[in-house]
Amino acid sequence: MDKFIVIAGNIGAGKTTLVQILSERLGFTPFYEPHEENPYLADFYEDMESWSYHSQVYFLTRRLKIHKELLLAQGSVVQDRSVYEDAEIFARNLFLQGDLSQRDYNVYQDLYHILASLLPPPNLMVYLRASVDTLMERIAKRGRDYEAGISREYLTRLNALYENWMNNFEQCPVLIINSDDLNLVSSAEHVNQVVNWVQDKLTGRTEVRL
């Protein structure tokens, strides 16, 4: 593996789209989030308290398998969401809202910290910041059945956790992109702009957070 970029962001922020763009424009091998493969996800969104631990352990397991694959990949790689977010955002939110018990949370955190300490950090973390209005609009537009019950309150809590996490993240350089007014699907200008930001940050030519 040469360069390693992680795309971070809330549900509907545009991570998968950006991973595809960077893989096509920069020749990076893409590693996508396995959301549709999680056998617990539909149950989780229906009853978070009953299925949160199962879902988070599954995501952690899958993420670690992906890390193993990307470490063996030739050239540079770009990953759709990382193991850090599973623990720092989603598991923590479930614990704070009472859907993950203290016992289960402690076990999960112990496992996460041990495994994360063995993983090489990315060369760049790209955080796609988006308002809840934008997230709700994008989630509705893509029409995934298991995401239909996601509430504004849930996304708001995740956004707050993302902001706190990004403000304290020190494992690698961070590029923060406000994505509310970006159209990475049909605007060539916006695509070029974001690709340039990523290249500049990756090569150390800029320290600006956008």
Side-chain angles (χ1 to χ4, degrees):
M1 182 180 65
D2 186 7
K3 297 293 185 180
F4 173 23
I5 298 177
V6 167
I7 310 300
N10 208 337
I11 303 164
K15 300 181 300 299
T16 302
T17 300
L18 183 53
V19 167
Q20 182 177 356
I21 288 170
L22 295 179
S23 67
E24 293 173 353
R25 294 287 297 271
L26 302 182
F28 281 41
T29 299
F31 286 84
Y32 293 102
E33 185 179 18
H35 50 78
E36 294 182 359
E37 299 175 20
N38 186 340
Y40 300 105
L41 202 56
D43 292 323
F44 166 75
Y45 281 131
E46 287 293 326
D47 185 356
M48 290 186 179
E49 185 174 1
S50 296
W51 295 99
S52 59
Y53 182 74
H54 305 76
S55 182
Q56 287 305 125
V57 169
Y58 174 83
F59 272 130
L60 182 62
T61 302
R62 289 290 296 138
R63 202 79 65 188
L64 290 169
K65 288 182 179 179
I66 292 173
H67 265 277
K68 181 179 179 180
E69 293 173 7
L70 65 84
L71 288 173
L72 298 174
Q74 299 294 319
S76 297
V77 300
V78 55
Q79 184 181 17
D80 181 351
R81 189 170 280 150
S82 68
V83 66
Y84 305 111
E85 287 164 86
D86 287 336
E88 305 292 349
I89 307 300
F90 293 94
R92 178 145 186 82
N93 178 68
L94 290 168
F95 170 67
L96 292 175
Q97 69 184 20
D99 289 323
L100 192 60
S101 71
Q102 182 74 65
R103 179 179 61 181
D104 287 345
Y105 184 63
N106 288 345
V107 171
Y108 176 87
Q109 284 291 314
D110 286 345
L111 178 61
Y112 159 68
H113 284 297
I114 290 171
L115 295 174
S117 68
L118 302 175
L119 299 174
N123 299 104
L124 176 64
M125 177 76 70
V126 180
Y127 169 45
L128 291 176
R129 175 187 282 147
S131 67
V132 173
D133 285 342
T134 296
L135 297 174
M136 292 293 290
E137 179 182 345
R138 291 174 180 170
I139 290 170
K141 185 177 295 185
R142 66 191 184 189
R144 294 173 182 165
D145 291 340
Y146 59 82
E147 292 179 342
I150 297 177
S151 67
R152 294 183 62 88
E153 292 75 19
Y154 180 63
L155 294 174
T156 298
R157 289 194 299 271
L158 293 184
N159 262 359
L161 288 170
Y162 266 108
E163 292 298 319
N164 180 69
W165 176 56
M166 283 290 91
N167 287 333
N168 295 283
F169 186 80
E170 298 179 343
Q171 283 88 335
C172 72
V174 174
L175 172 62
I176 298 179
I177 299 175
N178 294 315
S179 67
D180 284 340
D181 297 323
L182 284 177
N183 184 345
L184 297 180
V185 176
S186 58
S187 173
E189 179 183 357
H190 289 179
V191 169
N192 289 335
Q193 186 176 47
V194 169
V195 170
N196 288 336
W197 287 341
V198 170
Q199 287 181 305
D200 287 346
K201 191 71 175 182
L202 191 61
T203 56
R205 288 197 292 266
T206 179
E207 292 298 325
V208 177
R209 291 189 176 203
L210 303 162

